[in-house]
Structure formats: structure tokens, C-alpha cells
Amino acid sequence: MAKKTANVELTAQGEARLMRTAEEMCERAYAPYSGFKVGAAILTDDGRVFTGCNVENGSYGCCICAERTAAVKAVSEGALKFRAAAVANAGGGLTYPCGICLQFMSEFAEDGFCIIMREKSGNIVSHPIDELLPRGFKLR
Ligand code: THU
């Protein structure tokens, strides 16, 4: 059954497409230090998809995760409502976003925003952000 929110309907087929986009983005990762290549794809409520990969730096503290790369691309293009984010690593299997990325994306999460990943078995799983970040920081 398709999950419907404001503007974008996310079918199982849509989830699979977003997941494949995240997987393809692993090829763009710049990860010479960790060797851990991550790809991400964020679907926004206007139907656009923004992609990202992790970009490392010799000054390790400057490294940026794939999810935040995609999120910054979305926001800087005026897409401020996130419907879903798919995350993958080049080796396959689940890649849960780190705490910083969850917090970062929660700022732009629509109701029902979920994180999509693929298990080693090939099965796609989807977690609402509230499950992964139950008490995220909100400035109010
Ligand atoms: N990384 C991500 O891209 N996303 C995450 O959610 C966690 C970690 C990257 C950062 C670094 O380049 C590499 O994975 C190893 O930590």
C-alpha cells in the first residue's frame, strides 16, 4: 500500500528507486581515509530527489557524511520538506545514519519522514525518523 503524505506518494517501487539511487551514489564517495563509501538520496515533498555521498578530508574533522551532503543540496535548492532518505554503503547491508545526520535531517522532516535502507538479503526496510531519533533537539 502506498504511503501518502502532503504531495508525494511513496510506493514500494518508489522506495526501491530511491534506494538504487543511493546505492549508485556510493561510486561518487570520496573516502580515501576510511575506505567506507556511503551514498544517500533524499526525496522531497515536491517530488525532487537530491543525492549525496560522503566527502572526506585529510583534516578528518572536515569530513561530511553522505546524508548531510544530500540534505544541504536539497535545502540550498529550496527543497525544505523531506519525505524520505535512502542510505547505502558500497559493501551492502544496513547503514544507519549517524546521530549528527539524523539531527540535521530532522530539521526538515515532514510528518512520516522515513529512512530507507537495504538489508544484506536485498530486502528494503524503512524506519520513521522518530524511531531512530526519538528525542531530537528542537530549538523552542
Ligand atoms: N558516514 C556517512 O557518510 N554517513 C553516516 O551516517 C555515518 C558515516 C561516513 C563518514 C566517513 O566518511 C565514513 O562514513 C566513515 O565514518
Side-chain angles (χ1 to χ4, degrees):
M1 241 269 265
K3 294 165 203 159
K4 178 105 176 100
T5 54
N7 292 316
V8 168
E9 199 168 317
L10 192 55
T11 59
Q13 201 180 19
E15 286 187 353
R17 199 178 315 124
L18 197 67
M19 192 68 236
R20 279 197 301 277
T21 303
E23 288 163 346
E24 284 165 15
M25 281 307 292
C26 293
E27 288 170 27
R28 297 261 175 93
Y30 176 75
Y33 304 105
S34 72
F36 192 75
K37 297 182 169 192
V38 184
I42 294 177
L43 173 70
T44 56
D45 80 329
D46 54 9
R48 284 189 283 172
V49 173
F50 296 88
T51 58
C53 60
N54 53 332
V55 182
E56 298 186 346
N57 193 281
S59 174
Y60 298 164
C62 306
C63 296
I64 183 164
C65 294
E67 299 90 321
R68 273 177 292 146
T69 303
V72 166
K73 285 168 72 177
V75 174
S76 61
E77 294 298 323
L80 275 71
K81 290 182 183 167
F82 297 179
R83 171 71 191 87
V87 190
N89 78 78
L94 298 173
T95 312
Y96 287 96
C98 74
I100 294 177
C101 288
L102 288 170
Q103 175 64 37
F104 197 88
M105 292 189 290
S106 74
E107 180 83 18
F108 307 102
E110 262 201 335
D111 273 358
F113 174 66
C114 54
I115 315 294
I116 296 163
M117 293 166 283
R118 194 192 296 281
E119 295 175 327
K120 276 265 185 221
S121 65
N123 196 37
I124 289 178
V125 294
S126 170
H127 291 279
I129 192 163
D130 300 350
E131 219 176 83
L132 304 182
L133 186 74
R135 290 182 176 81
F137 175 76
K138 285 196 172 63
L139 184 62
R140 53 162 103 93

